Amino acid sequence: MTGKPGKVTQREIARIAGVSQTTVSMVLNDRDGSNIRIPDATRERVRRAIEQSTYVADPAARRLAGLDNKILGVFTYESALTPESMDFYGPLLNGIERAAESLGCDLLFFTSSPVEEGRRRLFHRNTRLRLADGCVLLGQQMDGEDLERLVAESFPFVAVGRRDETDAPVPYVGIDYGSLTGRLLDRAVELGHEKVLYLHRDLNSPTARDRLSAIGRAPGALAVAPFAVGADLSDLPQVVARSGATAVFAEDAFLIEDAALVLGGAGAGLSLAALAEVRGHRIGGRALSGFHTPRQQVAAEALALLQQLISAPAEEHGGIEIQRLLQGEVAFGETLTVRGGAR
Amino acid sequence: MTGKPGKVTQREIARIAGVSQTTVSMVLNDRDGSNIRIPDATRERVRRAIEQSTYVADPAARRLAGLDNKILGVFTYESALTPESMDFYGPLLNGIERAAESLGCDLLFFTSSPVEEGRRRLFHRNTRLRLADGCVLLGQQMDGEDLERLVAESFPFVAVGRRDETDAPVPYVGIDYGSLTGRLLDRAVELGHEKVLYLHRDLNSPTARDRLSAIGRAPGALAVAPFAVGADLSDLPQVVARSGATAVFAEDAFLIEDAALVLGGAGAGLSLAALAEVRGHRIGGRALSGFHTPRQQVAAEALALLQQLISAPAEEHGGIEIQRLLQGEVAFGETLTVRGGAR
DNA sequence: CTGAAAGCGCTTACAG
DNA sequence: CTGAAAGCGCTTACAG
């Protein structure tokens, strides 16, 4: 597919301008140092030839010659553009697009990666990863081996969300769920709660662990019992009753919504909250209590960090803070209320 | 950024397997023709060397050597991933992602294109267009010059939406708004309407013209008066009254919603419809009448067509139907009712 | 000041 | 059956 009829190369420009191809390259890249000095007249002649033509540099050739390409890879462990995934990926992708626009980068989505066990594989026979100057990784769970290999090959990348599944330090930008969780628990104490049930899926992700460990550090006045739920929530009313909890928290908004549904009238006196983004979620007409997380900003900062890693020589990476947690806000909402208060 | 420490090349593999780099390339690409015959033993040795290593082909080099890359470009004339643009782009992007997955292609979003007068430019100094094997173009309006140039350079591309702004035939996949409009007008006749007011923006896009020309061919029993609205709709009640129309149609769902707002009680007896996708739109609690358009399918088919254009040698393009209109459905809804019927 | 040459990693005729 | 060579379009030392 190369060598198209309409394709203009530097050599062609050189011929027209009556200079060497090297000179064309110099002019195009504004090379103008001590040893190399191109008179304005020549420069002008080349410029004109380029403008008259439809020349654009071949990015593949540039890349091969060792330049970076202003192409950032985007790897998502699941499909990112389906209606369902928009809830999670939407703000992230939006942030990424905006950041890419302002950095002047194009985005390469690795949609071709073969799906195995429901998740895309980053490394495979024909990966085009190499075409990008670097890559952001998105997904709730990531493959530790992928991360290790990226580090080993010193391929610039940034994960969205905190990561801890590797020995080598992985660059990431995430949200500080630990601190958010702590603040929400403090609030629960203020409201008089002493026992809380915490529902979670059996997901082994760093953010899931962050929540759990913050729960482990709950203030003495509060006992929080973690409870791993399966697909079937039908025994939840009993579990809640037996626990004596006056509040039920869950890992995310959908889970607490499901729980509220199952609890029905039995949940009438309970406070509810999600330890995650709750924007747009309501339970029985009331704004769900939980967090507001700056996802768009996380994505934008991830891209900015990636750009830094790419452009800074490796020796200077020590000076860059490669692991960043952004602070969110507690969304007080209307479902976390005074203990025993009507819901 | 090339020449990374961890980067393995064919030469390296060749050294390990004790063959020439050419042979490695042959094995990788399954070249196995009349003149070239690699014994299984050699083949196996190379394969093992590759598996032991972290080799992946450098896509830039492949591309430069003339192969295609399974990278499809996606160019949108506006930002595609903002919350507001999701209404229009969401289903299209979803269709594109799915099609790319099944074709085994990656997607390159040209987010870097400089914005001029609110629209991105396809061709610019550093366009990475060339890196893609081909490109899909999305947007309500497109630049005729961009299209001409793509044709001139015989760069494979497909527009989403019907196009007619060029002399050369442009490959596209769109929706047949003409036929949909005709069917909705027939329906209006059935319901007893004789006069309809058609609100439109002054947009000069092919689909806008398709609607207008279908309106021009309205059945004799129906008089449809086009009315170009500005930013301010406040004189609409008068216009409607003066026209004697019993139904108001508009170019899209948002416009008819705005109109309904302005008309308020004055619009009580009027039938309303949008000549566009109406999914999720309601007016005064009633499902808006209009169309259901297969946007996801349009996008998927555009990608499939693009893939065909890329892989088929140019001489065979004559055999490919490069301009396709997909049929939508009329969504009867609840706002287009019997003339004079309560709304 | 400017060009000829080497090299980036790959593919594909072309010789052995 | 396999390798040495040319070439894809570009950049960057290196000589003039």
Side-chain angles (χ1 to χ4, degrees), chain A residues 74-196:
Chain A
V74 177
F75 182 80
T76 61
Y77 278 94
E78 306 96 32
S79 293
L81 299 168
T82 65
E84 310 83 54
S85 58
M86 268 312 170
D87 192 69
F88 177 73
Y89 284 114
L92 294 175
L93 293 177
N94 185 206
I96 287 176
E97 182 183 40
R98 291 172 52 148
E101 282 173 4
S102 72
L103 292 169
C105 291
D106 292 322
L107 294 173
L108 183 57
F109 283 71
F110 298 109
T111 40
S112 74
S113 297
V115 175
E116 287 176 11
E117 298 166 27
R119 311 176 63 227
R120 288 203 185 124
R121 290 203 38 195
L122 179 53
F123 287 102
H124 59 101
R125 250 180 124 264
N126 295 314
T127 180
R128 257 81 66 175
L129 187 61
R130 279 276 152 62
L131 209 47
D133 301 329
C135 185
V136 279
L137 303 187
L138 308 180
Q140 315 257 28
Q141 286 188 84
M142 294 186 188
D143 185 322
E145 286 183 30
D146 284 352
L147 299 177
E148 299 279 15
R149 181 156 168 191
L150 287 168
V151 173
E153 300 191 9
S154 60
F155 186 83
F157 76 102
V158 174
V160 170
R162 195 173 78 76
R163 309 272 50 118
D164 59 8
E165 40 275 271
T166 61
D167 295 332
V170 162
Y172 63 74
V173 179
I175 287 165
D176 189 350
Y177 282 105
S179 140
L180 280 169
T181 299
R183 283 189 270 155
L184 195 73
L185 294 182
D186 289 345
R187 175 73 181 157
V189 172
E190 280 172 34
L191 292 169
H193 294 278
E194 292 171 0
K195 287 200 153 189
V196 175

Side-chain angles (χ1 to χ4, degrees), chain B residues 20 22-23 37 39 42 64-65:
Chain B
S20 78
T22 304
T23 304
R37 191 121 281 288
T42 314
L64 197 55

Side-chain angles (χ1 to χ4, degrees), chain A residues 10 21 25 29 31 55 58 61-62 67:
Chain A
Q10 288 187 359
Q21 179 257 328
S25 172
N29 295 300
R31 287 282 166 279
Y55 176 82
D58 184 327
R62 281 175 69 88
L67 266 64

